[in-house]
Amino acid sequence: MKKIWAIVWKDIIIELRTKELFSSMFVFALLIILIFSFTFGFSVEFIPVAAPGILWVAFTFAGVLGLSRSFAIEKEWNSILGLLISPIDRSYIFLGKMIGNMIFVFIVEAIILQIFVLFFNYNLFVNLPSLLLVILLGTVGFVSVGTLFSAMAVNTKLREVLLPVLLFPIIVPVIVSSVKLIGVILSGKPIAKAGSSLQILILFDIIFLVICTVIFEYVIEE
Amino acid sequence: MMKTLAGLTFIGMMASLYMAFIYAPTEAVMGHIQRIFYFHMGAVWVATIAFTVVFIASIQYLRRESRFWDILALSSAEIGVLFTTLTIITGSIWAKPVWGTWWTWDPQLTTTFILWILYIAYLMLRSAVSSDVKKAKFAAVFGIIAFIDLPLVYLSVRLMRGISPVVFGGRGGGIAPQMMFTLVVCLITFTLLYVVLLRERMSVEKMKEELARLKLEETT
Amino acid sequence: MESTEFDIIAEGVTKSFGNIQALYGIDLGVRKGEFLTVFGPNGAGKTTLIKLLATLAKPTSGRLIVANHDIKKEPNRVRGLIGVISHEPYLYGNLSALENIRFFASLYGVSQAEEKAVDLIKRVGLESRMHDLVRTFSRGMQQRLAVARAIIHEPKILLLDEPYTGLDQHGGRIFGDLLRWLKSQNRTIIMTTHSLTEGLGISDKVAILDNGKIIYESDADGVEIARFKEIYFEIIKA
């Protein structure tokens, strides 16, 4: 739908102008990898086991930063009301916001992957297509719920601080499955070794994409 | 009605205590510590009912927008977090002598822990929203998502190896009938307890709202 | 009331937020092309009334019919037919004036959006700032751009919620000119304000809202400002 794309495009232009989202997400991700490299850096045996976990910590923590900003810009001048008085389905507003968030998070994830390879001197790209697929599925999971929750969090006294509190317990299935899957991919074993992780991940994505899209209107209306 | 329920609950509690500690036979492998399991199961049972009630009340609130459903959800959540805490504590007390550790990351325990966190996040969300209407709406949304999420959490966490407790082996394997009976009595008692606490909490909340409304009328 | 003659009809509209009631049984009718100004002190419910008309909130009870469409049943239809100017501009500070109008035009599915956007921006006197970020605009300029945003889809009906808020003398005068221009195009307009001077000269009808109820309504012809002020203060005191 053109209207959804209009919203995505708007968010991209705003971000290109201010670069707020990006710089904070990037710096934060860098710091996380840095800290982990101090802890694990010199013991090469740990990396294959720890890599999926480190990656997902970096993805989600940096991602949450970006998610918070997404609705903060709508709240700043109450511009969201401009969206609400126009004849656009509330679910389209959600999808527009979510797609915008996914784009930003993907870019940061790509950068994180590169930084990881650099700092840990470890080749992540043994099976690139599978790796990217899992990261894609995992990101869809946490960005969909994250977009919904950030619309709520921005309206609270705690603002951005509340978002991780709400989000992390909910995305446990995403993190557990993705970590397991990436672990299996990096060690070159066939995906079947990860048990039903892939199915669980896909199930989560489908269920919550639908639910969040539908339930968004209750969050956004007066 | 409340008095009858409260009375029945009291009787039920007395009966449960007697049955758990005296009537039920001692478990073959674990010994007396196993007796706490009857209360542990009661707590788990209530934590689960409470969570389901939050879910249903949340859906109904979004559909009807009547205060009743929001008050029900809030009250059930508060009771739920209490009983989840009890679940974890009783579980730990049992675990130490039997598994040799206070805690382990097996699927049931981990899922219970996440449930606990979800309850707390729910209550934190409520306290972070100043507007009454928004508070109810947001909480309802979170309540629905959390409930749907929990089974997925359990499924995903099961991918990790687990030590499932075998808790009711009587002599010759399987649950001894006296144990079953004790368990049932316990579950019924705890259910009654939940209902009693729920009604109490809801009437306190209704009174609070009535008070706030009267104060508002006074000033205008 | 004949719905073909009236663009806006409110029948027994009430609105409660939880335990607080903001509007009690509002009955209102605005004919096509009419300009109604609703006066009222702060907290009277003016913003709530506009919110309901703008489909930002649903009435707790009662019927609200805009351009022959029931707001509860066809909110999206109604949205396409109304323009809203509030005391906040509903614009994006980090987009330029043109980008803002183009964006809203796409939300309304406006054809030839680019030309219309440029035209409107010129019409509201912001041609020289077309590509500047709205963040850099003064309050008066933002409000003018908000007018452009509100009418890009050529709505017959306009809702204004205390639009003069934050405008200085100069800004107020320019906005008043724009308002007269909008009225001359035969649009149906409801404006709320707590300032008596702004609404009287331009309105066809006036009403007073206090404590969620409409307590006075009349045609504006021949109502002098002084006389109306008397009426207003008496009513508010009661």
Side-chain angles (χ1 to χ4, degrees):
Chain A
M1 274 255 32
K2 267 187 293 189
K3 296 186 185 180
I4 300 180
W5 194 242
I7 296 182
V8 176
W9 195 234
K10 161 187 72 80
D11 282 346
I12 293 182
I13 296 184
I14 293 184
E15 180 49 30
L16 286 176
R17 293 246 165 90
T18 58
K19 301 186 195 58
E20 275 172 1
L21 246 182
F22 223 68
S23 39
S24 43
M25 276 168 52
F26 176 67
V27 171
F28 197 51
L30 200 62
L31 285 171
I32 294 180
I33 303 278
L34 207 68
I35 294 179
F36 274 115
S37 65
F38 289 158
T39 1
F40 290 108
F42 306 118
S43 32
V44 189
E45 322 89 60
F46 274 146
I47 308 300
V49 180
I54 297 177
L55 284 175
W56 275 104
V57 167
F59 291 165
T60 50
F61 278 62
V64 162
L65 229 58
L67 291 171
S68 312
R69 283 292 304 155
S70 159
F71 275 98
I73 52 173
E74 303 286 345
K75 182 117 184 117
E76 228 177 321
W77 284 30
N78 243 331
S79 338
I80 186 81
L81 294 177
L83 291 178
L84 291 177
I85 56 175
S86 64
I88 179 174
D89 264 340
R90 277 60 178 126
S91 41
Y92 289 178
I93 300 180
F94 173 75
L95 289 173
K97 278 298 187 181
M98 190 191 114
I99 294 175
N101 283 338
M102 290 222 298
I103 294 179
F104 295 135
V105 172
F106 280 150
I107 297 179
V108 170
E109 285 175 342
I111 297 181
I112 290 178
L113 286 175
Q114 299 290 23
I115 298 178
F116 189 95
V117 169
L118 222 74
F119 274 45
F120 288 100
N121 205 11
Y122 179 79
N123 183 21
L124 286 174
F125 304 130
V126 271
N127 193 352
L128 195 56
S130 309
L131 183 69
L132 290 182
L133 177 67
V134 171
I135 294 182
L136 171 70
L137 290 173
T139 305
V140 166
F142 95 79
V143 169
S144 58
V145 182
T147 303
L148 177 71
F149 285 177
S150 68
M152 295 201 286
V154 97
N155 280 307
T156 65
K157 290 184 271 190
L158 290 174
R159 304 221 158 194
E160 284 91 61
V161 177
L162 190 62
L163 183 57
V165 173
L166 298 177
L167 187 60
F168 287 141
I170 301 282
I171 59 173
V172 163
V174 171
I175 310 236
V176 170
S177 321
S178 314
V179 164
K180 190 120 186 152
L181 281 165
I182 294 186
V184 161
I185 292 176
L186 288 181
S187 56
K189 304 201 187 104
I191 292 243
K193 263 284 188 165
S196 42
S197 303
L198 191 59
Q199 291 92 314
I200 294 177
L201 191 53
I202 296 179
L203 189 62
F204 185 98
D205 282 356
I206 298 177
I207 292 180
F208 281 102
L209 195 53
V210 170
I211 293 184
C212 291
T213 308
V214 167
I215 220 174
F216 181 71
E217 71 168 284
Y218 293 99
V219 163
I220 206 79
E221 300 230 346
E222 284 289 316
Chain B
M1 170 69 146
M2 268 302 272
K3 293 246 170 79
T4 341
L5 281 175
L8 278 172
T9 312
F10 181 69
I11 297 176
M13 254 324 163
M14 292 293 111
S16 304
L17 282 166
Y18 169 74
M19 292 181 80
F21 286 111
I22 301 173
Y23 168 75
T26 313
E27 211 272 342
V29 178
M30 290 175 264
H32 284 283
I33 193 64
Q34 181 265 353
R35 295 179 186 277
I36 202 171
F37 231 76
Y38 299 109
F39 301 99
H40 176 79
M41 290 307 287
V44 168
W45 174 242
V46 171
T48 317
I49 300 181
F51 203 48
T52 312
V53 169
V54 171
F55 175 62
I56 297 177
S58 295
I59 295 184
Q60 287 301 90
Y61 179 78
L62 289 184
R63 291 175 72 202
R64 309 292 160 91
E65 280 205 42
S66 97
R67 292 299 307 144
F68 169 74
W69 294 108
D70 184 48
I71 297 180
L72 176 60
L74 166 63
S75 312
S76 194
E78 287 190 358
I79 299 175
V81 74
L82 175 64
F83 278 84
T84 312
T85 315
L86 284 175
T87 305
I88 295 180
I89 294 179
T90 51
S92 271
I93 295 179
W94 174 88
K96 187 69 172 77
V98 177
W99 291 341
T101 175
W102 290 111
W103 181 260
T104 178
W105 289 106
D106 96 325
Q108 275 95 328
L109 273 142
T110 310
T111 309
T112 312
F113 183 61
I114 300 285
L115 173 62
W116 189 71
I117 296 191
L118 286 173
Y119 268 127
I120 294 189
Y122 178 88
L123 294 171
M124 273 188 76
L125 175 59
R126 290 193 75 105
S127 64
V129 184
S130 20
S131 136
D132 271 338
V133 178
K134 277 212 158 83
K135 177 187 302 215
K137 276 211 182 126
F138 287 179
V141 168
F142 189 75
I144 294 172
I145 293 204
F147 184 81
I148 297 178
D149 182 61
L150 200 61
L152 286 168
V153 169
Y154 179 65
L155 283 177
S156 66
V157 162
R158 254 191 357 163
L159 299 171
M160 312 182 325
R161 34 170 188 76
I163 325 169
S164 302
V166 178
V167 188
F168 291 108
R171 243 152 292 144
I175 302 181
Q178 299 104 314
M179 291 182 173
M180 188 50 138
F181 191 31
T182 310
L183 182 62
V184 170
V185 169
C186 252
L187 289 182
I188 297 179
T189 307
F190 270 71
T191 311
L192 285 172
L193 182 59
Y194 169 70
V195 174
V196 166
L197 288 174
L198 187 65
R199 293 182 75 118
E200 272 304 312
R201 182 64 186 86
M202 284 180 73
S203 67
V204 165
E205 190 65 27
K206 284 194 189 129
M207 283 194 260
K208 265 203 228 167
E209 296 212 338
E210 187 65 18
L211 189 63
R213 203 177 56 78
L214 289 171
K215 272 196 188 159
L216 203 64
E217 277 181 18
E218 204 182 76
T219 52
T220 31
Chain C
M1 294 183 226
E2 271 298 308
S3 45
T4 43
E5 191 190 337
F6 286 82
D7 257 346
I8 298 178
I9 302 176
E11 281 172 9
V13 169
T14 66
K15 179 64 183 166
S16 320
F17 295 101
N19 290 321
I20 302 171
Q21 187 141 6
L23 294 174
Y24 297 82
I26 302 284
D27 292 301
L28 204 56
V30 185
R31 291 186 175 75
K32 289 196 212 276
E34 227 174 32
F35 193 126
L36 165 70
T37 302
V38 179
F39 296 92
N42 286 327
K46 306 190 295 298
T47 301
T48 308
L49 181 60
I50 297 288
K51 273 209 185 126
L52 290 180
L53 287 167
T55 73
L56 287 173
K58 297 198 197 91
T60 309
S61 67
R63 291 210 308 165
L64 208 46
I65 303 187
V66 174
N68 259 322
H69 299 286
D70 189 324
I71 251 179
K72 269 193 189 154
K73 297 189 192 130
E74 299 177 276
N76 268 339
R77 285 301 304 266
V78 170
R79 283 169 195 142
L81 300 166
I82 58 174
V84 182
I85 300 172
S86 179
H87 41 90
E88 289 165 310
Y90 300 170
L91 295 165
Y92 291 93
N94 282 305
L95 294 178
S96 73
L98 184 57
E99 282 166 345
N100 262 291
I101 304 301
R102 244 199 259 125
F103 172 66
F104 284 104
S106 64
L107 291 184
Y108 285 98
V110 172
S111 57
Q112 298 160 313
E114 184 80 17
E115 297 145 31
K116 289 186 183 158
V118 171
D119 273 341
L120 264 178
I121 294 179
K122 285 186 185 161
R123 180 63 190 75
V124 302
L126 290 170
E127 182 172 7
S128 57
R129 305 294 302 265
M130 200 175 310
H131 301 289
D132 291 343
L133 298 188
V134 170
R135 205 168 18 103
T136 61
F137 284 18
S138 70
R139 170 90 188 98
M141 297 193 305
Q142 287 173 5
Q143 200 65 326
R144 279 189 267 159
L145 191 59
V147 172
R149 172 190 52 70
I151 62 176
I152 183 69
H153 56 294
E154 289 154 32
K156 292 186 298 170
I157 300 167
L158 292 179
L159 310 169
L160 289 80
D161 185 20
E162 310 213 36
Y164 285 93
T165 309
L167 293 178
D168 58 13
Q169 288 276 51
H170 178 67
R173 223 168 352 105
I174 300 185
F175 188 78
D177 288 337
L178 278 176
L179 209 51
R180 269 178 282 279
W181 170 62
L182 291 172
K183 177 173 168 48
S184 71
Q185 297 172 315
N186 236 334
R187 302 188 203 248
T188 309
I189 304 180
I190 284 193
M191 179 170 82
T192 63
T193 178
H194 60 268
S195 153
L196 295 169
T197 35
E198 286 152 10
L200 281 174
I202 193 174
S203 323
D204 299 316
K205 267 176 68 173
V206 294
I208 300 183
L209 184 69
D210 191 26
N211 276 325
K213 304 188 191 81
I214 300 236
I215 48 185
Y216 176 84
E217 234 185 299
S218 102
D219 288 334
D221 299 331
V223 175
E224 289 173 17
I225 295 189
R227 178 84 189 97
F228 187 73
K229 274 189 177 162
E230 272 177 46
I231 302 176
Y232 183 71
F233 285 117
E234 269 200 44
I235 289 185
I236 299 303
K237 254 192 300 161

